[in-house]
Amino acid sequence: MANPGSHTIVICRGYLDNLSDRLRVLMANVDILIVEDETPIREMLQMVLRQAGFEVHGAADTRQAAKHLSQRRPDLILLDWMLPGQSGIDWARRLRRDADFSDLPIILLTARGEEEDKVTGLDCADDYVTKPFSPRELIARINAVLRRFGKGEKPGIVNVGGIVLDPEKHQVAIDQRPLNLSPTEYRLLEFFLTHPDKVYSRTQLLDRVWGRDVYIEERTVDVHIRRLRRILAEFGRDAMIQTVRGFGYRFTARP
């Protein structure tokens, strides 16, 4: 951290007892990795975010964070700019060049508040939070970024090309007719619907849909893609899943 002690995060334990119901939204399925070298700040952030319902993990530097990523992919990273060894900004740039993590949401935490610093930070991060900040502001910014990536509090109905996903009912329908999907087919189609018009490799789809802790061959993705296409073909929408030769797949409402 730059100038430890001169910049503080406006977080106090008493605040945790007065969190509004709006901030206590159930977020048990959202995993956040905090990369912060100052232990008191990291632990306080973990406590605040867990109180808000997030699943939270911590790392003291980018080496620990990279080890965590090799075992478990978070939904969002809170990353301090100034870290010992490799800086947070340099690591964020490295993640953006990595095909497996280029789309991973990142929020930079820093005491740097100059316009030039913000522009530099936003070149490789999805948001930029200047210290000091309040838990209310941080959680609002986290939810805003998560919504942009298809996650977040109280997910609403998604409609892409007439394919309607209702997360609360765990149901997908076309022309008001529910699709008969296996759990894996549902998760795969849900991912496509919430990440349209982006190309994903088979490895990326395995990580995002099946998880990094499960060993499955890449051809498993092709098998489930074929099954999804057969189901969508009944409604004339199989062409929405496009094969990108030499790379992977794209889901689009404009086949």
Side-chain angles (χ1 to χ4, degrees):
M1 299 285 298
N3 301 321
S6 63
H7 297 277
T8 58
I9 299 175
V10 186
I11 298 176
C12 61
R13 290 179 182 273
Y15 174 84
L16 298 178
D17 297 327
N18 297 306
L19 275 175
S20 67
D21 291 338
R22 185 175 65 84
L23 296 181
R24 293 179 184 272
V25 177
L26 181 61
M27 303 292 290
N29 293 326
V30 175
D31 189 324
I32 295 178
L33 174 62
I34 300 172
V35 189
E36 164 64 64
D37 62 309
E38 292 195 31
T39 301
I41 294 178
R42 185 175 65 251
E43 291 180 347
M44 187 63 74
L45 285 171
Q46 287 178 289
M47 179 166 36
V48 167
L49 296 183
R50 284 177 180 146
Q51 186 74 16
F54 297 99
E55 183 173 349
V56 187
H57 301 272
D61 53 35
T62 60
R63 184 172 55 83
Q64 290 183 12
K67 182 178 180 180
H68 180 87
L69 287 188
S70 69
Q71 301 169 344
R72 182 188 184 103
R73 181 191 174 99
D75 295 298
L76 181 143
I77 296 178
L78 284 181
L79 179 62
D80 184 41
W81 182 314
M82 300 298 292
L83 293 170
Q86 185 180 38
S87 70
I89 193 75
D90 287 340
W91 192 56
R93 292 184 180 122
R94 181 176 179 179
L95 290 178
R96 288 295 180 245
R97 294 191 299 267
D98 188 324
D100 289 335
F101 301 110
S102 61
D103 63 339
L104 183 58
I106 298 173
I107 297 179
L108 277 176
L109 306 178
T110 179
R112 295 169 175 260
E114 298 298 323
E115 180 180 0
E116 184 176 347
D117 293 323
K118 292 180 180 180
V119 171
T120 299
L122 290 172
D123 279 341
C124 58
D126 300 285
D127 202 354
Y128 184 105
V129 181
T130 305
K131 302 173 184 177
F133 53 81
S134 70
R136 185 183 297 271
E137 177 191 2
L138 179 61
I139 292 171
R141 286 177 176 269
I142 288 172
N143 283 328
V145 171
L146 289 172
R147 283 194 296 270
R148 296 207 306 264
F149 282 80
K151 293 182 176 289
E153 55 184 319
K154 295 184 178 178
I157 292 176
V158 178
N159 188 332
V160 180
I163 303 177
V164 181
L165 167 72
D166 188 333
E168 292 189 358
K169 294 182 179 179
H170 204 73
Q171 184 179 84
V172 181
I174 299 177
D175 299 332
Q176 299 184 338
R177 292 168 55 191
L179 305 186
N180 184 18
L181 303 171
S182 70
T184 301
E185 290 163 357
Y186 176 86
R187 291 196 305 272
L188 181 58
L189 186 53
E190 177 185 40
F191 179 79
F192 277 141
L193 288 169
T194 53
H195 299 79
D197 299 314
K198 294 182 180 180
V199 180
Y200 291 93
S201 68
R202 291 168 178 81
T203 300
Q204 289 174 316
L205 290 172
L206 283 174
D207 289 344
R208 302 297 295 272
V209 177
W210 282 263
R212 282 179 164 261
D213 55 346
V214 178
Y215 176 75
I216 299 177
E217 294 183 359
E218 288 189 356
R219 62 183 179 182
T220 300
V221 175
D222 300 327
V223 172
H224 283 86
I225 291 290
R226 285 198 297 270
R227 291 176 180 172
L228 268 184
R229 280 175 169 160
R230 282 200 297 268
I231 294 172
L232 296 179
E234 299 178 20
F235 302 87
R237 288 176 172 82
D238 51 308
M240 295 175 72
I241 302 179
Q242 300 176 342
T243 300
V244 180
R245 192 174 300 278
F247 192 80
Y249 297 97
R250 177 199 296 116
F251 187 86
T252 180
R254 300 178 296 276

